[in-house]
Amino acid sequence: MAAQAPKSRAREQPTGDEEATTDLKLGDFQHVPTLTLSEARLLINAVMDHRKSQRKVEETEVLIKTQDYLDVFARFKQKENIEAVERMLATKDELELFERSQLGSLCCETAEEAKTLIPSLANKINDLDLQALLDDISKLRNFTE
């Protein structure tokens, strides 16, 4: 009996140089601009609208699932609110781009919650400043969207 061919390719082992713990180590992605889920939703929808207007639409299963995911989990739906959150987060120079995106996507209610979910924030911003930022972000959320 002949050996069966593998049903999938071998998975590449992670290099281990990326981690989002108290010490943020993102390797090649350390200073790469990142998007919140809301920004990603806005961008993908704009690209798809443009392609539809050009009649160059190929909606793959992955694209449809990605759009569905972003529709559910993007905290901000209106462009003005997405831009306002980005402006608020951009004022926090002490935070890495990744951390800003996480704050804009997770929309934590308390500084403690934010520091639990994003451990690298622990020594970068005090609880009062972080709570003020989270409160300002929360004010822009429209819970009826």
Side-chain angles (χ1 to χ4, degrees):
M1 184 171 186
Q4 292 185 358
K7 295 184 181 189
S8 64
R9 63 185 174 160
R11 179 174 287 187
E12 187 176 318
Q13 293 298 316
T15 59
D17 61 347
E18 291 114 8
E19 61 182 46
T21 60
T22 52
D23 294 323
L24 193 59
K25 298 176 188 171
L26 299 177
D28 293 340
F29 300 100
Q30 188 70 33
H31 301 289
V32 174
T34 54
L35 300 174
T36 64
L37 295 176
S38 300
E39 291 170 319
R41 178 181 174 275
L42 185 67
L43 179 65
I44 289 174
N45 287 343
V47 168
M48 291 309 298
D49 289 345
H50 177 73
R51 288 182 180 174
K52 286 177 185 175
S53 72
Q54 302 291 317
R55 297 193 182 353
K56 297 179 184 177
V57 176
E58 183 180 332
E59 290 187 346
T60 65
E61 182 180 354
V62 171
L63 176 62
I64 292 168
K65 286 183 177 184
T66 300
Q67 287 178 306
D68 290 345
Y69 177 89
L70 292 172
D71 285 342
V72 171
F73 292 106
R75 304 291 186 173
F76 305 95
K77 309 293 190 213
Q78 297 172 349
K79 183 179 180 180
E80 297 78 24
N81 291 349
I82 295 168
E83 291 171 347
V85 169
E86 176 57 28
R87 282 191 304 273
M88 270 187 250
L89 293 169
T91 65
K92 299 300 178 187
D93 294 331
E94 66 272 26
L95 303 180
E96 294 285 340
L97 299 172
F98 174 80
E99 294 163 332
R100 294 180 205 170
S101 294
Q102 292 300 298
L103 286 170
S105 291
L106 295 172
C107 293
C108 301
E109 291 184 22
T110 66
E112 179 183 1
E113 179 185 13
K115 288 184 176 184
T116 299
L117 295 174
I118 312 166
S120 59
L121 294 175
N123 298 319
K124 293 186 178 178
I125 186 170
N126 69 53
D127 286 353
L128 291 176
D129 290 343
L130 180 56
Q131 189 61 56
L133 175 64
L134 296 174
D135 291 345
D136 289 343
I137 290 172
S138 182
K139 290 174 188 172
L140 293 171
R141 286 189 63 192
N142 182 350
F143 294 97
T144 62
E145 291 182 305

